[in-house]
């Protein structure tokens, strides 16, 4: 233990030099250099008139990216889990019933947060690695008559994209339930239309398809959802994430609530500008094209995708671990040999899949070729039954198409 009067040896704690990785895991993704430059610009106060204008711009850009006209669209100060807790902890009141899915890790997190908010949790069942069936959702809504229905649009733990979203929301609204959508791994990467699909509340993370460092996380609420929040009889259990208080800062008043993470808001603004410059539909198409090439490479070398084509999630590719291979050793070797990050599975799929992201600034042809080449090399060196050359050829052909 260092004595209080003893100076720390500079050799012990030197200049910050993190490794230069290629990030192809479930997040964070590689950050665009423009976003990093935005973070290095001068700091201003969180109530400075110039920052108030930046706040307005970020809100407008978020509305574009969420595809919504919701007034209550803000970046929550914190990671995506903070936006998640702000959504659930404000909309779910003590005594409310929330219907949540069982088909992935983050449906389980919804349940945990709803219970902490004082809600009663009921479930609509689906196996891990499969989407929710609208008929099962309708049956669960009829059985439990919940106040809130939550679903995960893009399940990061399984690589599954939930289809039929308008059917789910219509069924929920037939039972007067508000709908909360987890869009952490979908915003800016796959088709997401909050207003058209009649989603009441959507939360997201900036570090995945938006390629922005975590710290200011997107959240949007419909007028109906915000009315429920403002009409609560009991205050939310979190003061920091109380949307009735945050409304004073992000609404017309711009009254002090807490010191916003100014540099993270700068970063989010620039990341969202990149989305708008590319065009949201073009961005969705780019993710599908490049992830399709990655998928072709995985299947070309002899690996199997976890999700069938009809609900494959382009931004997060879940690839089955081949027989006789330790997934953790593969991930470590990719870091050691290639400075390349991919991830293992979570929960029920722990040890069974690799989770390979194709998100935002990471979704580039050179990265797709790189991850297919590197993974094929490592798997072959460990004795897996793969054909790395065939995988690379399939990837290149898909990119050329």
């Amino acid at each position: 233990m260092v004595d209080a009067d003893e100076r720390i040896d500079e050799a012990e704690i030197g200049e910050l030099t993190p490794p230069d990785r290629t990030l192809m895991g479930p997040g964070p993704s590689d950050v665009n250099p423009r976003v990093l430059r935005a973070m290095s610009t001068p700091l201003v106060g969180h109530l400075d008139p110039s920052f108030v204008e930046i706040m307005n711009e970020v809100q407008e850009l978020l509305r574009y990216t969420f595809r919504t006209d919701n007034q209550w669209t803000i970046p929550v100060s914190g990671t995506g889990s903070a936006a998640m807790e702000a959504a659930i902890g404000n909309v779910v009141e003590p005594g409310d019933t929330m219907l949540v899915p069982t088909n992935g890790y983050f449906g389980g997190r919804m349940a945990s947060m709803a219970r902490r908010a004082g809600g009663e949790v009921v479930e609509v069942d689906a196996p891990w690695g499969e989407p929710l069936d609208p008929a099962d959702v309708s049956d669960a809504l009829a059985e439990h008559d919940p106040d809130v229905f939550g679903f995960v649009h893009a399940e990061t733990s399984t690589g599954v994209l939930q289809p039929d979203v308008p059917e789910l929301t219509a069924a929920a609204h037939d039972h007067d339930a508000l709908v909360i959508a987890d869009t952490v791994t979908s915003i800016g990467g796959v088709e997401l239309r909050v207003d058209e699909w009649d989603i009441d509340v959507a939360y997201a993370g900036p570090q995945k398809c938006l390629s922005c460092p975590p710290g200011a996380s997107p959240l949007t609420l419909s007028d109906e959802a915000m009315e429920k929040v403002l009409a609560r009889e009991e205050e939310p259990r979190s003061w920091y994430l109380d949307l009735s208080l945050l409304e004073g800062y992000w609404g017309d008043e711009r009254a002090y609530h807490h010191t916003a993470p100014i540099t993270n808001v700068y970063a989010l603004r620039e990341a969202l500008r990149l989305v708008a410059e590319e065009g949201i539909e073009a961005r969705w198409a780019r993710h599908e094209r490049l992830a399709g090439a990655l998928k072709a490479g995985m299947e070309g070398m002899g690996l199997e995708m976890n999700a069938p084509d009809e609900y494959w999630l382009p931004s997060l590719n879940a690839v089955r671990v081949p027989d006789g291979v330790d997934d953790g050793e593969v991930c470590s070797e990719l870091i050691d040999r290639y400075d390349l990050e991919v991830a293992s599975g979570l929960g029920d799929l722990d040890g069974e899949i690799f989770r390979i992201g194709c998100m935002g600034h990471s979704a580039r042809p050179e990265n797709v070729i790189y991850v297919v080449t590197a993974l094929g090399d490592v798997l072959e060196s460990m004795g897996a039954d793969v054909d790395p050359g065939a995988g690379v050829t399939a990837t290149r052909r898909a990119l050329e198409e």
Side-chain angles (χ1 to χ4, degrees):
M1 186 172 181
V2 178
D3 185 273
D5 295 326
E6 181 183 341
R7 293 187 60 184
I8 295 176
D9 186 346
E10 291 182 4
E12 293 180 15
I13 303 179
E15 182 180 353
L16 179 64
T17 55
D20 186 11
R21 310 281 199 212
T22 299
L23 301 178
M24 297 292 286
S29 60
D30 289 340
V31 176
N32 190 290
R34 279 175 46 180
V35 175
L36 294 175
R37 284 197 297 272
M39 297 181 74
S40 67
T41 54
L43 206 65
V44 296
H46 58 284
L47 294 172
D48 188 291
S50 67
F51 190 66
V52 170
E53 181 59 30
I54 289 168
M55 294 166 70
N56 292 337
E57 292 166 347
V58 169
Q59 288 181 282
E60 193 59 35
L61 288 163
L62 279 174
R63 292 185 186 103
Y64 171 77
T65 306
F66 270 126
R67 312 309 293 138
T68 185
D69 292 325
N70 287 342
Q71 177 184 358
W72 310 109
T73 303
I74 67 170
V76 175
S77 298
T79 64
S81 293
M84 183 182 195
E85 192 146 25
I88 295 171
N90 281 272
V91 173
V92 176
E93 301 179 65
D96 279 356
T97 299
M98 182 172 180
L99 179 66
V100 301
T102 64
N103 62 335
Y105 184 89
F106 291 97
R109 185 172 292 184
M110 276 188 163
S112 177
M113 289 188 179
R115 290 189 185 98
R116 286 171 180 255
E120 177 186 347
V121 171
V122 293
E123 295 176 338
V124 53
D125 292 325
W128 273 57
E130 294 185 16
L132 296 177
D133 185 320
D136 292 341
V137 172
S138 276
D139 290 346
L141 288 162
E143 178 182 355
H144 301 293
D145 194 27
D147 302 281
V148 181
F149 164 56
F151 75 96
V152 180
H153 182 221
E155 179 53 78
T156 318
S157 64
T158 62
V160 167
L161 180 66
Q162 176 65 48
D164 311 313
V165 171
E167 290 185 52
L168 303 185
T169 59
H173 292 144
D174 285 345
H175 290 268
D176 297 321
L178 291 174
V179 177
I180 299 178
D182 180 320
T183 66
V184 169
T185 309
S186 54
I187 190 172
V190 298
E191 184 178 10
L192 170 65
R193 302 181 186 273
V194 166
D195 285 1
E196 187 177 323
W197 295 351
D198 216 9
I199 295 168
D200 296 293
V201 182
Y203 59 84
Q207 76 278 10
K208 296 182 185 280
C209 296
L210 298 182
S211 282
C212 181
S217 299
L219 174 67
T220 188
L221 295 91
S222 67
D223 287 344
E224 293 78 10
M226 198 63 185
E227 284 171 10
K228 185 177 192 298
V229 170
L230 296 176
R232 289 178 61 112
E233 294 182 3
E234 183 177 319
E235 295 176 334
R237 297 184 180 182
S238 171
W239 177 91
Y240 181 68
L241 298 175
D242 184 340
L243 292 177
S244 69
L245 301 178
L246 289 173
E247 184 275 329
Y249 181 53
W250 283 99
D252 294 335
E253 189 179 355
R254 301 300 194 201
Y256 170 69
H257 176 257
H258 68 276
T259 302
I262 295 155
T263 299
N264 288 96
V265 175
Y266 290 173
L268 183 59
R269 177 183 180 276
E270 191 62 19
L272 293 169
R273 272 189 1 110
L274 287 162
V275 173
E277 286 176 15
E278 184 175 5
I280 190 64
E281 294 195 0
R283 193 176 182 93
W284 296 338
R286 170 169 63 88
H287 280 79
E288 184 171 11
R289 180 176 69 87
L290 291 169
L294 189 155
K295 178 173 176 287
M298 295 295 147
E299 294 175 334
M301 78 168 77
L303 299 177
E304 179 185 354
M305 304 299 291
N306 188 58
D309 290 349
E310 57 266 32
Y311 38 88
W312 159 66
L313 173 58
S315 51
L316 194 288
N317 296 267
V319 180
R320 302 294 301 182
V321 176
D323 292 339
V325 169
D326 183 288
D327 59 310
E329 288 184 14
V330 172
C331 293
S332 295
E333 280 298 303
L334 288 170
I335 286 281
D336 292 342
R337 292 190 206 176
Y338 290 99
D339 276 322
L340 173 66
E341 179 184 278
V342 305
S344 299
L346 287 174
D348 287 3
L349 293 176
D350 182 24
E352 296 186 16
I353 61 171
F354 300 114
R355 293 184 298 145
I356 305 175
C358 191
M359 306 183 198
H361 190 57
S362 290
R364 289 175 284 160
E366 59 268 33
N367 283 2
V368 171
I369 288 283
Y370 190 55
V371 73
V372 172
T373 302
L375 182 60
D377 175 53
V378 169
L379 288 175
E380 185 179 48
S381 72
M382 292 183 173
D385 183 16
V386 294
D387 186 342
V392 172
T393 298
T395 304
R396 286 180 175 152
R397 286 177 177 165
L399 289 171
E400 289 168 1
E401 291 172 3

